[in-house]
Amino acid sequence: MRKLLLSLLFLSALATVYSQTAPNDYMREYEASQARTEWMTDARFGMFIHFGAYAVPARGEWVKTTERMSNEEYQKYIDEFNPVDCDMKEWARLAKKAGMKYAVMTSKHHDGFCLFDSKFTDYSTQETIGRDLVKEFIEAFRAEGLKVGLYYSLIDWHHPDYPKYNDLHHPMRGKEEFQNEQINWDNYLKYLHGQVNEITSNYGTLDVLWMDFSYGEMTGEKWQAQKLVQMVRKNQPNIIINNRLQASGEGVIGLRNFFLGDFDTPEQGVPEKEMFDEFGNPLRWETCLTLNNNWGYALNDDNWKSPELVIHTLIDIVSKNGNLLLNVGPDGRGNIPPQSVKILKEVGKWMDLNHESIYGCGNAGLETPQWGRITQKDNTLYLHWMYPKIGYINMNGYADKALSVTLLSTGAEAYTASSWWGNKAENNFLINLNTPIYHTFPLPDPYSTVIELRLK
Ligand code: GLC
């Protein structure tokens, strides 16, 4: 018996030592990452911009590979790409008007064509049209007070030293003439590292580096990720980096390396609830989302999301501690499609009146109500009444805790009661925006009527 007790004691001591030592450096990294990314909570809403020569064929940013084009075939689009209407100041004003706090633009997408001046290649807008579009972007968006980030594609469908024949996505995959081609991977790595060095040191402060993406064995150290990030963090001590040096848009990573990436990037969807790592620590995450069904400009894609869906998605995301990076794909002349502009302006109108329920807000730790979502900041709950219902909403148990209950957009006092008709349940806290006998329909805001519930 004594032996058993002793060995149990020994085992539990071992377990404590083990569980403490393993997560210790992990926790240090985790906390450093949490500190770097704190502004994501304040910002919550950003603009993604997919801009490049693929806007000319206007069939999305993967066109080169979906249509299996060679470099020569794709060249006509490089030659034609001249966005004469492109005024990034206008884009920046639009983002700001929509209520966005940051923006991330493609500096190079998978097609390999660079929107910046690079000493490593002539394959850039600097060479073709004499414009450093990355510089224009950064200056314009910073001038509007927005944080700025750059997307950089790890994948490169133009560089001669990127794998082709056996690659999963390359336009030349499976083409016989590439079967025995010799490539020099180190050469590509030099190029990749060299360019990431350029974009993180030539334009002043950069807030986000958005790498895209890892797949199969093309992940982590294949990119020399450790070394790459070391350089990036040296150039930009406060930069935040997404998770795609380790994952793809669908990618779930287990034990993470927070040095290599600060936040997760669920693509085209919203997780069921907040996200946590294996030890139960909350994770930062950002859903990236298109406004129609393409990232890059696509002439015939008319599957536009409604402003209501966008607003509901943003609220849903914030209620789960995430961010929304909402995409626009400017056309070949550099205009953001009018449909996108219209949606963003409508979203902006809602944000004008209700942004306090978004910026700096997060999960309220309450069950998701049938009538919408709840977000929280400090001592205030924001009740997003998104789905019309007859009668009151019930914040059962909050009567004693409430300091004030108002309509966020106007500051008008809401109507509250403890019973209605037969509903006399204990701790009822019935909230309505009208007199006791009239229910609230239509709701004052068609997208989401926000009630501010300040707690004592
Ligand atoms: C994907 C796609 C890409 C897009 C990105 C945005 O990984 O390859 O076209 O830029 O997701 O999240």
Side-chain angles (χ1 to χ4, degrees):
M1 186 64 190
R2 218 179 121 214
K3 233 176 168 183
L4 183 75
L5 262 177
L6 271 176
S7 55
L8 271 178
L9 253 166
F10 176 73
L11 276 177
S12 77
L14 199 72
T16 343
V17 169
Y18 182 75
S19 70
Q20 272 172 4
T21 44
N24 251 351
D25 3 341
Y26 181 89
M27 281 315 292
R28 214 170 305 131
E29 242 182 52
Y30 170 80
E31 271 149 25
S33 169
Q34 286 289 300
R36 283 195 286 274
T37 46
E38 208 177 305
W39 66 262
M40 285 183 81
T41 304
D42 291 321
R44 286 304 186 210
F45 190 26
M47 178 183 266
F48 212 174
I49 304 168
H50 276 70
F51 192 37
Y54 41 78
V56 176
R59 300 190 287 279
E61 79 291 352
W62 275 56
V63 64
K64 186 178 184 187
T65 200
T66 49
E67 300 182 16
R68 304 290 189 106
M69 290 182 216
S70 64
N71 286 343
E72 294 68 37
E73 287 165 315
Y74 197 70
Q75 187 57 36
K76 59 175 177 288
Y77 303 128
I78 303 294
D79 296 337
E80 276 169 39
F81 182 58
N82 187 13
V84 285
D85 293 344
C86 170
D87 176 3
M88 304 253 186
K89 291 191 201 93
E90 207 178 294
W91 298 2
R93 280 194 295 271
L94 177 66
K96 190 160 185 189
K97 218 169 172 180
M100 291 156 161
K101 293 271 198 182
Y102 62 111
V104 177
M105 187 180 79
T106 48
S107 62
K108 176 194 95 168
H109 204 268
H110 308 333
D111 67 357
F113 188 55
C114 300
L115 272 57
F116 58 100
D117 186 11
S118 172
K119 67 169 192 261
F120 299 94
T121 186
D122 289 345
Y123 201 56
S124 74
T125 53
Q126 186 66 47
E127 294 301 319
T128 57
I129 53 171
R131 285 174 77 173
D132 184 329
L133 294 170
V134 161
K135 183 163 182 268
E136 292 179 26
F137 161 71
I138 288 184
E139 284 173 359
F141 279 72
R142 258 209 229 110
E144 284 297 326
L146 300 172
K147 288 198 185 286
V148 288
L150 291 174
Y151 169 110
Y152 185 88
S153 174
L154 293 160
I155 296 167
D156 197 307
W157 297 333
H158 175 262
H159 197 285
D161 291 310
Y162 199 87
K164 303 171 192 69
Y165 183 80
N166 282 318
D167 187 67
L168 212 58
H169 308 296
H170 198 284
M172 298 296 107
R173 64 193 176 279
K175 292 239 168 168
E176 243 168 76
E177 63 259 47
F178 294 99
Q179 186 166 12
N180 297 314
E181 192 203 30
Q182 296 300 311
I183 59 158
N184 182 343
W185 180 244
D186 283 344
N187 213 25
Y188 180 66
L189 283 181
K190 268 190 211 128
Y191 182 78
L192 160 70
H193 285 232
Q195 287 206 321
V196 172
N197 187 30
E198 289 180 323
I199 61 172
T200 55
S201 51
N202 289 350
Y203 304 98
T205 305
L206 193 65
D207 301 292
V208 186
L209 181 62
W210 219 100
M211 307 299 274
D212 198 34
F213 61 91
S214 292
Y215 57 105
E217 59 177 38
M218 309 295 278
T219 182
E221 278 319 291
K222 182 77 183 180
W223 314 116
Q224 290 187 349
Q226 201 77 28
K227 189 172 149 206
L228 186 75
V229 172
Q230 224 154 38
M231 168 187 76
V232 170
R233 296 213 185 280
K234 197 166 145 233
N235 292 343
Q236 301 283 340
N238 298 319
I239 201 164
I240 67 173
I241 306 174
N242 71 347
N243 66 336
R244 294 203 181 173
L245 278 164
Q246 311 168 75
S248 74
E250 298 116 37
V252 175
I253 22 181
L255 277 189
R256 290 137 210 278
N257 185 335
F258 289 102
F259 178 75
L260 293 185
D262 299 294
F263 62 96
D264 278 9
T265 52
E267 187 166 321
Q268 304 286 33
V270 181
E272 290 299 313
K273 46 182 186 342
E274 315 105 88
M275 293 179 75
F276 299 95
D277 71 2
E278 323 254 303
F279 302 106
N281 302 304
L283 288 172
R284 304 265 190 213
W285 59 274
E286 175 195 68
T287 280
C288 49
L289 185 70
T290 51
L291 271 175
N292 52 0
N293 285 338
N294 278 274
W295 299 100
Y297 179 66
L299 177 65
N300 292 317
D301 178 354
D302 265 321
N303 301 296
W304 299 100
K305 293 175 181 65
S306 65
E308 174 178 76
L309 184 57
V310 172
I311 291 166
H312 282 193
T313 303
L314 176 62
I315 296 167
D316 185 31
I317 287 173
V318 173
S319 80
K320 297 167 180 171
N321 288 336
N323 282 42
L324 173 61
L325 191 63
L326 188 63
N327 184 69
V328 294
D331 67 22
R333 296 181 62 96
N335 292 305
I336 295 180
Q339 298 92 329
S340 304
V341 173
K342 205 171 148 205
I343 302 166
L344 292 180
K345 285 192 172 160
E346 195 67 10
V347 172
K349 279 191 221 154
W350 184 86
M351 282 295 280
D352 263 352
L353 296 171
N354 298 292
H355 56 263
E356 280 167 54
S357 67
I358 299 292
Y359 302 143
C361 293
N363 182 259
L366 298 169
E367 216 176 290
T368 304
Q370 275 179 1
W371 41 261
R373 296 285 184 278
I374 303 174
T375 59
Q376 177 167 24
K377 185 184 182 180
D378 304 325
N379 260 352
T380 304
L381 295 178
Y382 296 99
L383 318 179
H384 292 264
W385 194 340
M386 288 149 66
Y387 313 115
K389 73 181 275 295
I390 301 302
Y392 304 84
I393 60 174
N394 194 350
M395 286 298 287
N396 192 288
Y398 277 86
D400 293 343
K401 299 178 193 149
L403 194 66
S404 65
V405 191
T406 52
L407 179 63
L408 178 61
S409 59
T410 62
E413 188 180 27
Y415 180 85
T416 58
S418 58
S419 70
W420 175 81
W421 205 239
N423 183 355
K424 293 186 179 135
E426 212 184 323
N427 292 330
N428 259 350
F429 191 47
L430 304 168
I431 302 174
N432 202 344
L433 293 167
N434 218 318
T435 64
I437 35 171
Y438 295 106
H439 50 72
T440 311
F441 187 81
L443 287 164
D445 194 299
Y447 300 129
S448 174
T449 295
V450 187
I451 294 164
E452 185 183 61
L453 169 54
R454 286 173 58 220
L455 305 174
K456 285 178 194 157

